[in-house]
């Protein structure tokens, strides 16, 4: 075995894990509480969270944050979790309380939405001792106020413009850690990393899409078995 070759252990029952693109591994990563994080899977599906090679999970969703959801995800996950705590419709004391609950359940960081006012970020900062990750959707986001209020990591989600937003953020804030969406292709991931992202989030196929592929495989096996009998 070569010196830099990594031994891998896998069993038949665990081989169908969701593997994140290898291109993500070329980024620098972000070290949080001693854990180096490069590849982050974006999902709230517990089955997917339990079956992935990602370094961490970012669990944000388009509903009002609820302790039951946070508890379920953090208990099921065997990797670090970044929990969404609102910032859009949910602000102020509730976001701060959700953040404290997330920390107490073992989350490694909390994520606030793009519209989160500085007062809410400041309230969260006073309440918890884990990183606040501020979501950035465009170059027009007032990042200064989010950092001044207590955000320590940027989470860039700019759609097709993500790489450009990352580039601008890196120029303005050369030392702040940046997480960003990389898109579905290696080219997009690499472009985002070159623009300055330290870690990449990846959106996996849905449970339905994964099951569809497995059902297709089962149908093919049955067809081949039937053809052998006919022969």
């Amino acid at each position: 075995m070569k010196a830099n070759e990594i031994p891998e252990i896998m069993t038949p029952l665990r081989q169908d894990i969701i593997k994140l693109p290898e291109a993500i591994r070329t980024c620098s990563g972000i070290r949080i509480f001693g854990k180096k994080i490069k590849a982050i899977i974006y999902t709230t599906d517990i089955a997917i969270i339990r079956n992935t090679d990602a370094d961490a999970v970012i669990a944000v969703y388009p509903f009002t944050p609820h302790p039951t959801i946070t508890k379920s995800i953090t208990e099921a996950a065997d990797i670090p979790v970044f929990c969404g705590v609102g910032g859009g419709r949910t602000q102020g004391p509730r976001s701060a309380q959700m953040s404290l609950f997330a920390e107490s359940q073992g989350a490694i960081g909390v994520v606030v939405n793009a519209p989160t006012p500085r007062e809410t970020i400041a309230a969260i900062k006073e309440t918890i001792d884990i990183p606040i990750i501020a979501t950035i959707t465009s170059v027009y986001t007032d990042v200064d106020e989010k950092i001044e209020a207590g955000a320590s990591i940027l989470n860039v989600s700019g759609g097709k413009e993500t790489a450009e937003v990352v580039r601008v953020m890196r120029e303005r804030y050369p030392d702040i850690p940046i997480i960003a969406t990389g898109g579905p292709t290696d080219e997009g991931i690499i472009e985002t990393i070159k623009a300055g992202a330290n870690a990449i989030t990846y959106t996996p196929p849905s449970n339905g899409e994964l099951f569809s592929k497995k059902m297709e495989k089962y149908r093919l096996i049955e067809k081949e078995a039937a053809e052998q009998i006919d022969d």
Side-chain angles (χ1 to χ4, degrees):
M1 182 178 292
K2 298 179 181 178
N4 60 349
E5 187 175 343
I6 302 175
E8 181 177 7
I9 304 297
M10 187 63 68
T11 65
L13 297 181
R14 295 176 182 263
Q15 62 183 344
D16 287 338
I17 64 171
I18 295 177
K19 293 186 176 183
L20 274 61
E22 282 298 317
I24 295 177
R25 302 296 175 182
T26 62
C27 68
S28 68
I30 302 171
R31 197 178 298 278
I32 303 177
F33 304 135
K35 297 179 175 65
K36 191 173 186 179
I37 295 171
K38 294 185 176 184
I40 305 171
I41 195 163
Y42 169 42
T43 183
T44 54
D45 190 308
I46 293 175
I48 289 177
I49 291 171
R50 288 292 302 185
N51 292 278
T52 179
D53 68 348
D55 302 321
V57 56
I58 186 165
V60 296
Y61 44 92
F63 308 105
T64 301
H66 196 281
T68 302
I69 299 174
T70 298
K71 184 174 186 291
S72 298
I73 292 172
T74 52
E75 285 187 349
D78 55 1
I79 53 178
V81 178
F82 299 109
C83 286
V85 294
R89 181 175 299 175
T90 305
Q91 298 182 0
R94 184 176 177 89
S95 286
Q97 292 164 6
M98 279 298 305
S99 298
L100 182 59
F101 184 84
E103 180 183 26
S104 68
Q105 289 296 312
I108 200 172
V110 296
V111 185
V112 294
N113 295 335
T116 309
R118 64 181 303 150
E119 294 80 10
T120 294
I121 296 176
I124 294 172
K125 180 65 176 178
E126 292 179 358
T127 305
I128 62 172
D129 190 44
I130 54 178
I132 300 172
I133 302 161
T135 301
I136 309 300
T137 56
S138 76
V139 296
Y140 305 107
T141 303
D142 190 342
V143 180
D144 285 342
E145 72 165 16
K146 296 180 186 300
I147 295 175
E148 291 169 2
S152 55
I153 300 174
L154 303 183
N155 173 41
V156 178
S157 181
K160 294 180 180 180
E161 303 299 322
T162 293
E164 179 58 27
V165 176
V166 169
R167 191 172 292 109
V168 172
M169 293 301 112
R170 180 53 70 213
E171 290 175 356
R172 293 179 182 172
Y173 313 97
D175 299 321
I176 197 163
I178 297 177
I179 298 170
T181 55
T185 67
D186 285 353
E187 291 77 12
I189 292 169
I190 292 170
E191 181 185 5
T192 305
I193 293 171
K194 287 182 176 179
N198 302 107
I200 297 293
T201 59
Y202 173 77
T203 303
S206 69
N207 212 346
E209 291 171 323
L210 293 170
F211 236 123
S212 178
K213 291 180 181 179
K214 181 154 287 191
M215 292 301 103
E216 186 63 33
K217 177 181 177 181
Y218 290 160
R219 284 189 288 269
L220 181 60
I221 291 173
E222 290 176 349
K223 180 181 178 181
E224 290 175 348
E227 290 175 346
Q228 288 178 0
I229 294 174
D230 291 341
D231 292 342

